[in-house]
Amino acid sequence: MMTPSNIQPDALKAGRESNGELLRLVAMLMIVTHHWVVHAIYPEILLFDIADKSWDASLVLGLHAFAYLGVNIFVLISGWYSIRLKPRSLVNLYTICSFYALVGFVGSLVYRHTWRFDFVDTLSFILPFGHSGYWFIPVYVCLMLLSPLLNAAIDSMGRRRYRWVLLLLTVVNLWFGYMWKSHGINPDGYNLMQFIWLYVIGGSLRRYCTPDWLQSKRRMLFWVLVGSCLLWGMLALSRAWRHELGFHLPFNYPFRYCNPLIVTASVSLLLFCMSFRFESRTVNWLATSALAVYLVQEHATLYRLVGGWSESWSPLGKVLMIPLLSAAFMLTVLLADKLRILAMRPFWHFYDLRVAPLLNRWLHHIHSKTE
């Protein structure tokens, strides 16, 4: 994630790596799959309370365990490429979040067959960074705002100091956060501390993992990915079947983004994908709309519709439909978002012509006063 690519990359720019953009799309597909499972089709999975203990629920739990890597990968990509904060990237993020918050707001009114609402409801699209209901967006905005500080720190550190900083961040997040559930630190990964940790990891990997090293370690990275995913899936399944088995493998809250197995699998998948090199304008073009998929899906109305629809599916149908639904939904939104991008061209023309020069002069004035 880079300048507007912080969430919406200018992926058609020369030099963009299509393997990174493809991984961004894969990460979003994982996020979509995870959300269909926990918010619509198998909401009891996060509680490890699969009532019927059926084979389809167990398969879906395994699928969900792999899909849970998506958010971590999305943030790791930001660290890999580094965020270059600009006013345009914040405005771009605001417009896309506001637009899809408004779409969701109108959709919920239509679904409820009423046009009655109070002023608080409008905050979702007037103030999308803080009142939209998206946990990811405000945390990511904070990461963007801190990115100049983080980038300066990363660029000024040598390899030895970098290792110590990374080790200390890992101890803070895993020991105090994940293991002891210190709520002021990082008990679950849904917070800024997790994003800073992943951002620094991604930055260090890009800085010190050369293309030759990545290619030589490709097989090892693949097996680390497979092994950590299998172990993580076994832990999740043992917890779900703990009453039937009479035990479950000891592990502290498997479904947490700061789970060390999830972080290990996410890092392995990132490095494995970055060991390849290819260029595809189609992949880069689609990746510019990756965030739209998350924003469209993350509405309670849509989850209720899919949840009601899935009640008529057979066990095999649920196993097959979840990935198919995720892929079809994602492709539909990716293509539909191109209409929004097209409609926004006059706004960006006005912004570049009138607003950007004023902002740049104001920022230059502030910079000159602080020197």
Side-chain angles (χ1 to χ4, degrees):
M1 303 181 172
M2 306 174 225
T3 40
S5 96
N6 296 308
I7 286 222
Q8 213 167 252
D10 180 14
L12 299 180
K13 188 185 299 183
R16 289 305 302 267
E17 299 170 347
S18 296
N19 52 321
E21 299 307 316
L22 180 60
L23 181 59
R24 194 190 309 276
L25 292 173
V26 170
M28 185 53 64
L29 182 62
M30 291 176 168
I31 293 170
V32 169
T33 302
H34 158 62
H35 286 168
W36 286 140
V37 172
V38 301
H39 294 309
I41 301 174
Y42 283 99
E44 70 275 14
I45 273 184
L46 276 182
L47 301 176
F48 298 99
D49 185 24
I50 305 176
D52 55 1
K53 299 297 185 297
S54 57
W55 64 269
D56 60 292
S58 298
L59 284 177
V60 170
L61 181 60
L63 173 66
H64 171 251
F66 181 68
Y68 205 72
L69 306 179
V71 170
N72 281 357
I73 293 171
F74 218 73
V75 181
L76 284 168
I77 294 173
S78 296
W80 180 272
Y81 290 118
S82 79
I83 297 171
R84 301 302 174 187
L85 182 64
K86 296 180 180 179
R88 197 180 198 276
S89 62
L90 285 172
V91 174
N92 181 57
L93 181 57
Y94 176 87
T95 57
I96 184 174
C97 291
S98 182
F99 175 82
Y100 284 111
L102 177 60
V103 169
F105 172 70
V106 174
S108 66
L109 294 179
V110 173
Y111 179 78
R112 291 181 291 164
H113 303 290
T114 179
W115 293 100
R116 297 180 59 186
F117 61 91
D118 55 42
F119 176 74
V120 176
D121 294 331
T122 64
L123 292 177
S124 64
F125 54 88
I126 296 175
L127 300 172
F129 289 167
H131 292 274
S132 62
Y134 306 118
W135 76 266
F136 179 90
I137 297 301
V139 177
Y140 195 84
V141 169
C142 290
L143 181 66
M144 290 176 65
L145 296 176
L146 290 176
S147 62
L149 176 63
L150 295 173
N151 292 340
I154 290 172
D155 293 340
S156 66
M157 288 188 290
R159 183 188 293 262
R160 181 181 177 85
R161 180 171 293 181
Y162 213 146
R163 288 175 176 174
W164 274 108
V165 169
L166 198 56
L167 176 62
L168 292 174
L169 277 174
T170 302
V171 170
V172 167
N173 282 275
L174 291 186
W175 181 252
F176 294 100
Y178 179 73
M179 293 301 297
W180 294 106
K181 299 294 175 290
S182 299
H183 291 285
I185 301 177
N186 184 12
D188 50 21
Y190 292 83
N191 53 68
L192 182 59
M193 179 64 80
Q194 172 80 5
F195 279 31
I196 291 174
W197 181 35
L198 294 176
Y199 187 86
V200 174
I201 291 175
S204 67
L205 295 174
R206 176 61 183 253
R207 189 172 182 181
Y208 296 115
C209 295
T210 64
D212 290 340
W213 184 88
L214 288 174
Q215 292 176 13
S216 67
K217 302 297 183 182
R218 186 179 293 163
R219 181 175 297 181
M220 180 198 73
L221 292 169
F222 174 77
W223 286 114
V224 170
L225 169 65
V226 171
S228 54
C229 285
L230 285 176
L231 181 55
W232 146 233
M234 289 170 56
L235 291 168
L237 284 171
S238 74
R239 193 174 180 89
W241 287 72
R242 59 191 179 277
H243 298 301
E244 285 72 15
L245 295 174
F247 72 95
H248 69 88
L249 298 176
F251 211 70
N252 209 12
Y253 295 98
F255 283 116
R256 296 290 188 272
Y257 289 124
C258 53
N259 180 328
L261 288 175
I262 295 176
V263 174
T264 300
S266 302
V267 170
S268 300
L269 182 56
L270 172 74
L271 293 178
F272 179 76
C273 291
M274 293 305 178
S275 69
F276 297 90
R277 288 289 183 271
F278 77 97
E279 295 297 328
S280 169
R281 291 183 62 83
T282 301
V283 169
N284 295 351
W285 179 70
L286 289 173
T288 60
S289 296
L291 181 66
V293 180
Y294 166 76
L295 295 174
V296 172
Q297 186 195 30
E298 197 70 346
H299 289 288
T301 300
L302 195 57
Y303 290 135
R304 284 195 291 267
L305 288 171
V306 173
W309 182 33
S310 67
E311 291 177 358
S312 63
W313 298 350
S314 65
L316 178 61
K318 289 183 178 181
V319 174
L320 297 177
M321 282 298 294
I322 290 173
L324 291 176
L325 173 66
S326 300
F329 173 82
M330 182 172 170
L331 182 60
T332 300
V333 177
L334 288 174
L335 296 177
D337 186 62
K338 301 308 174 185
L339 298 177
R340 181 197 62 81
I341 294 175
L342 185 64
M344 287 293 294
R345 284 183 177 177
F347 168 81
W348 289 117
H349 177 74
F350 173 79
Y351 175 89
D352 293 334
L353 191 64
R354 301 292 185 183
V355 179
L358 293 175
L359 279 175
N360 290 335
R361 283 199 295 271
W362 179 65
L363 292 173
H364 179 74
H365 176 72
I366 294 177
H367 180 70
S368 64
K369 293 294 185 181
T370 56
E371 287 184 338

